[in-house]
Amino acid sequence: MIKAITGTKDILPWQISEWKRLEKTVENLMSYFNYKEIRTPTFEETVLFSRGIGEATDIVSKEMYTFIDRSETSITLKPEMTASVVRAYIEHKLSKKQNLHKLYYISSMYRQERPQAGRLREFHQFGAEAIGSNAPMLDAEMIELAYSILKSFGLKNLDIKINSLGVPAEREQYKTELRNYLKDKFELLSEDSKKRFETNILRIFDSKDEKDIEIMSEAPKILDFLSEESLKHFEEVKSYLDEIEIKYSVDYKLVRGLDYYTNTTFEIVSSSVGAQSALCGGGRYNLLIEQLGGPPTPATGFAAGMERILLACVNEGCNKEEEASLDIYLVRMEPAKKTAVFKISNTLRKNGLKTEMDYLSRSVKAQMREANRMNARFVLFVGGEEFEKGSVVLKDMETGEQQELPAKDLTPVISKLKNQ
Ligand code: HAM
């Protein structure tokens, strides 16, 4: 038997309604905040991500789906959207159109991670990117936007964590300090953290190893290395959040797994899912556009994992049952012709009525069972003596009431159903 690739999932018909509800929530909230949708290709030139996300990150160094295509180009399936959105922003010279672009997306992403609950190899994100302003208000708006979507979807157990990573010069100074602090504790670190000491020292804060956590809790804190300007930016972001009464905690360990961040970073975590508790993450990336060949342009954004959100929702019981519904089921009785039923279904569907009929030559009894299973509001009996006389019989499945109608003119059926 051929099975789906490890870390990928089918979304089955009965799961679709929750996906659609989430997508609708995203679309609504994005429009209230005036974000416009952008769609970019599934794959890009590998260099976009290696340069954009950073060679030393886990994503680029070990998780990307990269291959050489038939024209010898190195291609990568997008592991995230920020780099792609920035590429599109530069390529289409969006900066010439208007100063600030507020963009959003819903798309599938690809990362070859070790699959577990809430961690897949093909997963879906929605996210937003605001390109063209350094206003702390926009950082606060990003957090507000992400939080509002999660709340509006029905999630409760949410915590917002924020931090500031400053600008590269401040971060470099901080990294030197961190290296000094860790030097004589190096042997106590886990193997992973020892590697990170060389390649991406800030990520040691992400370690789940108990000894690492203990060591890092005493480590110097990034906020003590920020310039006055960076601190002021951070203070302003917090004051905007205070103003709209959004609760957050400052988490100096929040370093994020992508290299492009400057100043504000944030995550929203849920206590309703297991180890993969980050439902959403983001922050400011004021240097990325320039790094990818565009004009110096400040920007901020976030992305949220849809599978994790849906999982949290199931665990919290905020998911909604899909209501099966059908306007009308056509029950074919002998001696009606199949073509007569087929024609009626065409008329009803053309008039916007959700219509179903039998394709399996089932008995009248079995067809009625189907109509009930599908929660049909009405049943239309086609056949029998009435049909010989040119009539069909409409049954209201709620009241049980039946009405004979001319088969040739279904206008009364249509208007009756439309008025329900
Ligand atoms: P990220 O933290 O890598 O950030 O991903 C954002 C969210 O995507 C995570 O919080 C998580 O919910 C979800 N996610 C990530 N990897 C997986 C996976 N393997 N399986 C399931 N869900 C996953 C970014 O992607 C940045 N582009 C966010 C951003 C936008 N920063 C600025 N603008």
Side-chain angles (χ1 to χ4, degrees), residues 48-177:
L48 172 67
F49 301 116
S50 50
R51 208 192 294 164
I53 301 170
E55 298 278 3
T57 58
D58 283 356
I59 298 179
V60 173
S61 65
K62 51 187 189 204
E63 294 169 1
M64 292 204 304
Y65 280 98
T66 298
F67 59 96
I68 306 292
D69 76 358
R70 286 167 208 267
S71 37
E72 300 294 312
T73 309
S74 180
I75 301 280
T76 294
L77 303 187
K78 61 183 170 193
E80 60 111 46
M81 272 291 278
T82 312
S84 299
V85 171
V86 167
R87 198 253 322 123
Y89 174 88
I90 299 169
E91 188 173 336
H92 303 286
K93 299 191 175 52
L94 296 192
S95 62
K96 298 233 157 72
K97 276 198 160 64
Q98 62 199 51
N99 292 332
L100 174 65
H101 284 269
K102 291 170 60 169
L103 307 166
Y104 85 92
Y105 46 82
I106 301 178
S107 185
S108 42
M109 308 291 154
Y110 305 86
R111 297 183 193 175
Q112 191 159 9
E113 296 197 67
R114 204 163 34 78
Q116 62 179 85
R119 190 160 70 190
L120 291 132
R121 292 182 169 176
E122 183 188 50
F123 61 99
H124 298 76
Q125 285 185 342
F126 65 81
E129 314 290 346
I131 307 178
S133 162
N134 190 35
M137 189 199 273
L138 210 48
D139 296 340
E141 179 178 292
M142 271 306 157
I143 299 170
E144 180 197 4
L145 172 60
Y147 186 64
S148 308
I149 294 172
L150 300 178
K151 281 297 235 194
S152 172
F153 187 59
L155 292 177
K156 291 212 171 68
N157 307 329
L158 302 169
D159 285 310
I160 302 174
K161 296 178 180 180
I162 64 170
N163 192 19
S164 174
L165 298 179
V167 298
E170 295 155 16
R171 203 152 57 225
E172 280 318 307
Q173 209 199 333
Y174 172 63
K175 281 190 195 167
T176 308
E177 207 57 37

Side-chain angles (χ1 to χ4, degrees), residues 143-270:
I143 299 170
E144 180 197 4
L145 172 60
Y147 186 64
S148 308
I149 294 172
L150 300 178
K151 281 297 235 194
S152 172
F153 187 59
L155 292 177
K156 291 212 171 68
N157 307 329
L158 302 169
D159 285 310
I160 302 174
K161 296 178 180 180
I162 64 170
N163 192 19
S164 174
L165 298 179
V167 298
E170 295 155 16
R171 203 152 57 225
E172 280 318 307
Q173 209 199 333
Y174 172 63
K175 281 190 195 167
T176 308
E177 207 57 37
L178 202 54
R179 229 169 265 128
N180 286 339
Y181 166 78
L182 287 173
K183 235 183 244 156
D184 55 349
K185 299 170 186 64
F186 183 82
E187 284 312 319
L188 301 172
L189 291 174
S190 66
E191 285 313 305
D192 256 0
S193 292
K194 278 183 185 150
K195 271 189 223 136
R196 283 179 168 168
F197 182 88
E198 301 299 337
T199 56
N200 204 345
I201 193 162
L202 293 183
R203 293 304 302 281
I204 301 180
F205 278 112
D206 286 343
S207 172
K208 303 262 187 301
D209 180 274
E210 266 179 35
K211 190 70 194 161
D212 290 350
I213 294 173
E214 189 190 317
I215 293 172
M216 295 312 276
S217 67
E218 302 282 308
K221 317 242 180 312
I222 180 98
L223 291 176
D224 296 329
F225 291 79
L226 298 190
S227 64
E228 235 171 73
E229 201 185 334
S230 289
L231 275 178
K232 183 166 171 280
H233 189 104
F234 193 48
E235 287 308 315
E236 278 188 45
V237 174
K238 290 195 291 180
S239 73
Y240 282 114
L241 292 175
D242 293 338
E243 203 59 51
I244 53 172
E245 293 174 7
I246 285 191
K247 298 223 169 356
Y248 56 84
S249 57
V250 174
D251 182 355
Y252 65 89
K253 299 189 293 298
L254 189 63
V255 292
R256 306 278 299 129
L258 305 94
D259 280 354
Y260 48 60
Y261 292 107
T262 53
N263 299 108
T264 323
T265 55
F266 74 96
E267 271 183 15
I268 304 181
V269 297
S270 164

Side-chain angles (χ1 to χ4, degrees), residues 1 35 166 258 321-322 351 353:
M1 183 172 55
Y35 282 72
L258 305 94
E321 282 289 310
E322 189 194 5
N351 280 281
L353 296 175

